[in-house]
């Protein structure tokens, strides 16, 4: 059993209501919260691994876990300079310990090494977030070199699967854990120029849901978030870099009547899904996209 009490599946309930404290968001009030007014996700003491945690959504999520009271956040990535800077930024958020582990999770050795190192450093593993991404430029399939298609499928989807496989070896004996994978709405909304990325995102979703069915038997939950455009990220910048992709994404953005997604929107959803507040939720695919996929 994990020492992180939030994942103790034996939590008792009385009169049909959980003994756990309700988050502030359920007690009324609609004013948006600033980072230092974050609701209580009951993550104190959590040991967290963020694969792809050095920038964008991954970095925002790493920092959010630190603010939420995680004991230790391990940030995984390929760029040592950026990774060390990210770990320092995470540690500066609160009292959490944060360390960087260099790893290419698209390889078996990289993924297993990252999970092993994180587990050793933290003395266990409660939460895994897969926020890995490889540079991708939307392009019609007929214009894509065939070798690039192979690279898209392996670099966009394989790392998430390998990290999950390695993490299960740690979480299964503990009969506890939560995994949150990030894909994208390309898996559910066919978009010109996204044949390869759409297939890769669909692979992550199906993999995650099937793993959720298997892992629920030993207390591990697996969920997926599927954003569309995320501002202030490298992916967003690349999407607007060519006339072909800009036309597509300008049209998509017009459907985001609730606003385009920001990294913090994803990190809030990740914290919830990883927390004891979502202890009965697994195998779900949730779009965080300002309403884009509803309109599609």
């Amino acid at each position: 059993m994990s020492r992180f009490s939030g994942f103790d599946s034996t939590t008792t309930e009385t009169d049909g209501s959980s003994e756990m404290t309700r988050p502030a968001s359920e007690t009324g009030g609609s004013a948006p919260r600033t980072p230092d007014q974050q609701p209580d996700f009951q993550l104190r003491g959590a040991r967290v691994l963020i694969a792809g945690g050095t920038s964008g959504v991954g970095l925002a999520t790493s920092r959010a876990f630190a603010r939420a009271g995680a004991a230790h956040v391990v940030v995984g990535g390929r760029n040592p300079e950026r990774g060390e800077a990210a770990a320092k930024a995470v540690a500066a958020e609160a009292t959490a310990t944060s360390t960087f582990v260099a790893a290419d999770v698209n390889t078996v050795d990289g993924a297993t090494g990252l999970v092993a190192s994180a587990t050793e450093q933290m003395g266990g593993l409660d939460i895994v977030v897969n926020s890995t991404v490889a540079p991708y430029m939307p392009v019609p399939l007929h214009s894509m070199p065939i070798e690039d298609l192979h690279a898209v499928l392996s670099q966009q989807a394989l790392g998430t699967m390998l990290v999950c496989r390695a993490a299960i070896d740690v979480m299964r004996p503990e009969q506890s854990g939560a995994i949150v994978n990030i894909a994208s709405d390309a898996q559910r909304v066919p978009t010109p120029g996204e044949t390869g990325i759409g297939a890769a995102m669909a692979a992550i979703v199906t993999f995650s849901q099937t793993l959720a069915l298997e892992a629920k038997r030993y207390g591990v939950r697996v969920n997926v978030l599927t954003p569309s455009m995320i501002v202030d990220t490298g992916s967003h910048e690349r999407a607007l870099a060519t006339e072909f992709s800009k036309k597509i994404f300008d049209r998509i953005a017009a459907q985001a009547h609730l606003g385009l997604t920001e990294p913090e929107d994803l990190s809030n959803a990740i914290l919830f899904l990883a927390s004891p507040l979502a202890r009965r939720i697994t195998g779900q695919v949730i779009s965080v996209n300002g309403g884009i996929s509803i309109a599609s």
Side-chain angles (χ1 to χ4, degrees):
M1 185 68 64
S2 167
R3 72 178 184 181
F4 175 40
S5 60
F7 289 110
D8 186 346
S9 60
T10 63
T11 298
T12 58
E13 298 183 359
T14 58
D15 298 328
S17 61
S18 170
E19 293 179 348
M20 295 197 298
T21 303
R22 295 174 63 198
S25 58
E26 294 181 6
T27 62
S30 58
R33 290 181 173 85
T34 60
D36 60 344
Q37 296 174 317
Q38 187 165 287
D40 184 5
F41 288 104
Q42 301 176 12
L43 290 164
R44 286 175 292 279
R47 298 162 297 185
V48 185
L49 168 61
I50 312 287
T54 62
S55 64
V57 173
L59 178 56
T61 302
S62 299
R63 299 175 72 168
F65 270 110
R67 291 194 298 269
H72 194 147
V73 180
V74 171
V75 176
R78 287 180 288 190
N79 186 313
E81 182 177 355
R82 189 166 62 187
E84 295 294 347
K88 290 180 180 178
V90 173
E93 290 286 350
T95 58
T97 299
S98 182
T99 50
F100 168 69
V101 176
D104 180 359
V105 297
N106 291 322
T107 68
V108 171
D109 289 345
T112 56
L114 174 60
V115 172
S117 179
T119 302
E120 181 179 4
Q121 290 184 38
M122 298 188 292
L125 184 62
D126 300 309
I127 297 166
V128 171
V129 177
N130 282 297
S131 182
T132 57
V133 63
Y136 178 81
M137 183 67 71
V139 61
L141 185 62
H142 66 264
S143 298
M144 177 186 291
I146 194 166
E147 58 271 15
D148 286 1
L149 182 59
H150 181 278
V152 167
L153 293 174
S154 61
Q155 293 176 12
Q156 299 289 353
L158 188 57
T160 292
M161 299 177 186
L162 292 175
V163 171
C164 285
R165 175 63 187 87
I168 287 299
D169 281 346
V170 179
M171 292 178 168
R172 185 182 180 196
E174 295 295 326
Q175 299 286 290
S176 175
I179 298 172
V180 182
N181 295 327
I182 301 177
S184 88
D185 269 350
Q187 58 87 28
R188 61 181 292 182
V189 182
T191 303
E194 294 191 341
T195 46
I197 193 72
M201 297 301 102
I204 290 175
V205 168
T206 300
F207 172 90
S208 300
Q209 290 184 307
T210 305
L211 178 57
L213 281 173
E214 298 176 357
K216 68 177 183 178
R217 301 176 184 277
Y218 42 86
V220 176
R221 300 183 298 106
V222 185
N223 291 289
V224 190
L225 293 179
T226 59
S228 184
M229 296 182 69
I230 309 173
V231 299
D232 300 325
T233 63
S235 297
H236 179 248
E237 293 174 1
R238 287 187 293 273
L240 301 180
T242 68
E243 183 178 357
F244 171 78
S245 60
K246 188 177 186 303
K247 285 182 178 179
I248 293 172
F249 286 106
D250 281 348
R251 187 165 61 250
I252 292 172
Q255 302 301 319
H257 296 108
L258 298 179
L260 290 174
T261 305
E262 299 175 359
E264 289 72 22
D265 296 319
L266 271 295
S267 66
N268 287 335
I270 290 168
L271 262 63
F272 168 70
L273 289 173
S275 78
L277 301 178
R279 69 195 187 284
R280 304 288 188 257
I281 300 175
T282 194
Q284 302 306 302
V285 182
I286 302 174
S287 293
V288 182
N289 60 21
I292 290 173
S293 62
I294 296 173
S296 298

Coordinates of all heavy atoms in Angstrom, one line a residue, residues 117-150:
S117 N 14.6 5.4 -11.7 CA 15.3 6.5 -11.0 C 14.4 7.2 -10.2 O 14.7 7.6 -9.0 CB 16.0 7.4 -12.0 OG 16.7 8.4 -11.4
A118 N 13.2 7.6 -10.7 CA 12.2 8.3 -9.9 C 11.7 7.5 -8.7 O 11.6 8.1 -7.6 CB 11.0 8.6 -10.8
T119 N 11.5 6.2 -8.9 CA 11.1 5.4 -7.8 C 12.1 5.3 -6.7 O 11.8 5.4 -5.5 CB 10.7 4.0 -8.3 OG1 9.7 4.1 -9.3 CG2 10.2 3.1 -7.2
E120 N 13.4 5.2 -7.1 CA 14.5 5.1 -6.1 C 14.6 6.4 -5.4 O 14.8 6.4 -4.2 CB 15.8 4.8 -6.8 CG 16.9 4.6 -5.9 CD 18.2 4.3 -6.6 OE1 18.2 4.2 -7.9 OE2 19.3 4.1 -5.9
Q121 N 14.6 7.5 -6.1 CA 14.7 8.8 -5.5 C 13.6 9.1 -4.5 O 13.8 9.7 -3.4 CB 14.8 9.9 -6.5 CG 16.0 10.0 -7.4 CD 16.0 11.2 -8.3 OE1 15.6 12.3 -8.0 NE2 16.5 11.0 -9.6
M122 N 12.4 8.8 -4.8 CA 11.2 9.1 -4.0 C 10.8 8.1 -3.0 O 9.9 8.3 -2.2 CB 10.0 9.5 -4.9 CG 10.3 10.7 -5.9 SD 8.8 11.2 -6.8 CE 8.5 9.8 -7.9
G123 N 11.4 6.9 -3.2 CA 11.0 5.8 -2.3 C 9.6 5.2 -2.6 O 9.0 4.5 -1.8
G124 N 9.2 5.4 -3.9 CA 8.0 4.9 -4.3 C 7.4 5.7 -5.4 O 8.1 6.7 -5.9
L125 N 6.2 5.4 -5.9 CA 5.6 6.1 -7.0 C 4.1 6.1 -6.9 O 3.5 5.0 -7.0 CB 6.1 5.5 -8.3 CG 5.7 6.2 -9.6 CD1 6.3 7.6 -9.7 CD2 6.1 5.3 -10.8
D126 N 3.5 7.3 -6.7 CA 2.1 7.4 -6.6 C 1.4 7.8 -7.8 O 0.3 7.4 -8.1 CB 1.8 8.4 -5.4 CG 2.3 8.0 -4.1 OD1 2.1 6.8 -3.7 OD2 3.0 8.8 -3.5
I127 N 2.0 8.8 -8.5 CA 1.3 9.4 -9.7 C 2.3 9.5 -10.9 O 3.5 9.9 -10.7 CB 0.8 10.8 -9.3 CG1 -0.2 10.7 -8.2 CG2 0.3 11.5 -10.5 CD1 -0.5 12.1 -7.6
V128 N 1.8 9.2 -12.0 CA 2.6 9.4 -13.3 C 1.8 10.2 -14.2 O 0.6 9.9 -14.5 CB 3.0 8.0 -13.9 CG1 3.6 8.3 -15.3 CG2 4.0 7.3 -13.1
V129 N 2.4 11.2 -14.8 CA 1.8 12.0 -15.8 C 2.6 12.0 -17.1 O 3.8 12.3 -17.0 CB 1.6 13.5 -15.4 CG1 1.0 14.3 -16.5 CG2 0.7 13.6 -14.1
N130 N 2.1 11.6 -18.2 CA 2.8 11.5 -19.4 C 2.4 12.7 -20.3 O 1.3 12.8 -20.8 CB 2.5 10.2 -20.2 CG 3.2 9.0 -19.6 OD1 4.5 9.0 -19.7 ND2 2.5 8.1 -19.1
S131 N 3.3 13.7 -20.4 CA 3.1 14.9 -21.1 C 4.2 15.1 -22.2 O 4.6 16.2 -22.5 CB 3.1 16.1 -20.2 OG 2.8 17.3 -20.9
T132 N 4.6 14.0 -22.8 CA 5.6 14.0 -23.8 C 5.1 14.4 -25.1 O 3.9 14.1 -25.5 CB 6.3 12.7 -23.9 OG1 5.3 11.7 -24.2 CG2 7.0 12.3 -22.6
V133 N 5.9 15.2 -25.9 CA 5.5 15.6 -27.2 C 6.7 15.8 -28.1 O 7.8 16.1 -27.6 CB 4.7 16.9 -27.1 CG1 5.5 18.0 -26.6 CG2 4.1 17.3 -28.5
A134 N 6.5 15.4 -29.3 CA 7.6 15.6 -30.3 C 7.2 16.7 -31.3 O 6.0 16.8 -31.6 CB 8.0 14.3 -31.0
P135 N 8.1 17.5 -31.8 CA 7.7 18.5 -32.8 C 6.9 17.9 -34.0 O 7.3 16.8 -34.5 CB 9.0 19.1 -33.3 CG 10.0 18.8 -32.1 CD 9.5 17.5 -31.6
Y136 N 5.8 18.5 -34.3 CA 5.0 18.0 -35.4 C 4.4 19.2 -36.2 O 3.9 20.1 -35.6 CB 3.9 17.1 -34.9 CG 3.0 16.6 -36.0 CD1 3.3 15.5 -36.8 CD2 1.7 17.3 -36.3 CE1 2.5 15.1 -37.8 CE2 0.9 16.8 -37.3 CZ 1.3 15.7 -38.0 OH 0.4 15.3 -39.0
M137 N 4.5 19.2 -37.5 CA 4.0 20.2 -38.3 C 2.8 19.6 -39.2 O 3.1 18.7 -39.9 CB 5.0 20.8 -39.3 CG 4.5 21.9 -40.1 SD 4.1 23.4 -39.2 CE 5.8 23.9 -38.7
P138 N 1.6 20.1 -39.1 CA 0.5 19.6 -39.9 C 0.8 19.6 -41.3 O 1.2 20.7 -41.9 CB -0.7 20.5 -39.5 CG -0.3 21.0 -38.1 CD 1.2 21.2 -38.1
V139 N 0.6 18.5 -42.0 CA 0.9 18.5 -43.5 C 0.0 17.3 -44.1 O -0.2 16.3 -43.4 CB 2.4 18.1 -43.7 CG1 2.8 16.8 -43.1 CG2 2.7 18.2 -45.2
P140 N -0.5 17.5 -45.3 CA -1.3 16.5 -45.9 C -0.5 15.2 -46.1 O 0.7 15.3 -46.3 CB -1.7 17.1 -47.2 CG -1.6 18.5 -47.1 CD -0.5 18.8 -46.1
L141 N -1.1 14.1 -46.0 CA -0.4 12.8 -46.0 C 0.4 12.7 -47.3 O 1.5 12.2 -47.3 CB -1.4 11.6 -45.9 CG -0.7 10.3 -45.8 CD1 0.2 10.1 -44.6 CD2 -1.8 9.2 -45.7
H142 N -0.2 13.1 -48.4 CA 0.5 13.0 -49.7 C 1.8 13.8 -49.8 O 2.7 13.5 -50.6 CB -0.4 13.3 -50.9 CG -0.7 14.8 -50.9 ND1 -1.9 15.3 -50.4 CD2 -0.1 15.9 -51.5 CE1 -2.0 16.6 -50.6 NE2 -0.9 17.0 -51.2
S143 N 1.9 14.8 -48.9 CA 3.1 15.6 -48.8 C 4.1 15.1 -47.8 O 5.2 15.7 -47.7 CB 2.8 17.1 -48.5 OG 1.9 17.6 -49.6
M144 N 3.8 14.1 -47.0 CA 4.6 13.7 -45.9 C 5.5 12.5 -46.4 O 5.0 11.5 -46.9 CB 3.8 13.2 -44.8 CG 4.6 12.6 -43.6 SD 3.6 11.8 -42.3 CE 2.8 13.3 -41.6
P145 N 6.9 12.7 -46.3 CA 7.8 11.6 -46.6 C 7.4 10.3 -45.8 O 7.0 10.4 -44.6 CB 9.1 12.1 -46.2 CG 9.0 13.6 -46.3 CD 7.6 13.9 -45.8
I146 N 7.4 9.2 -46.4 CA 6.8 8.0 -45.8 C 7.6 7.6 -44.5 O 7.0 7.2 -43.5 CB 6.8 6.8 -46.8 CG1 6.0 5.7 -46.2 CG2 8.3 6.3 -47.1 CD1 5.7 4.6 -47.2
E147 N 8.9 7.9 -44.5 CA 9.7 7.7 -43.3 C 9.2 8.6 -42.1 O 9.4 8.2 -40.9 CB 11.2 7.8 -43.5 CG 11.6 9.2 -44.0 CD 11.6 9.3 -45.5 OE1 11.0 8.4 -46.2 OE2 12.2 10.2 -46.0
D148 N 8.7 9.8 -42.4 CA 8.3 10.7 -41.4 C 7.0 10.1 -40.7 O 6.8 10.4 -39.5 CB 7.9 12.0 -42.0 CG 9.2 12.8 -42.3 OD1 10.3 12.3 -42.1 OD2 9.0 14.0 -42.8
L149 N 6.2 9.4 -41.4 CA 5.0 8.8 -40.8 C 5.4 7.8 -39.8 O 4.8 7.8 -38.7 CB 4.1 8.1 -41.9 CG 2.8 7.5 -41.4 CD1 1.9 8.5 -40.8 CD2 2.1 6.8 -42.6
H150 N 6.4 7.0 -40.0 CA 6.9 6.1 -39.0 C 7.4 6.8 -37.8 O 7.1 6.4 -36.6 CB 8.0 5.2 -39.6 CG 8.6 4.2 -38.7 ND1 9.5 4.5 -37.7 CD2 8.4 2.9 -38.6 CE1 9.9 3.4 -37.0 NE2 9.1 2.4 -37.5

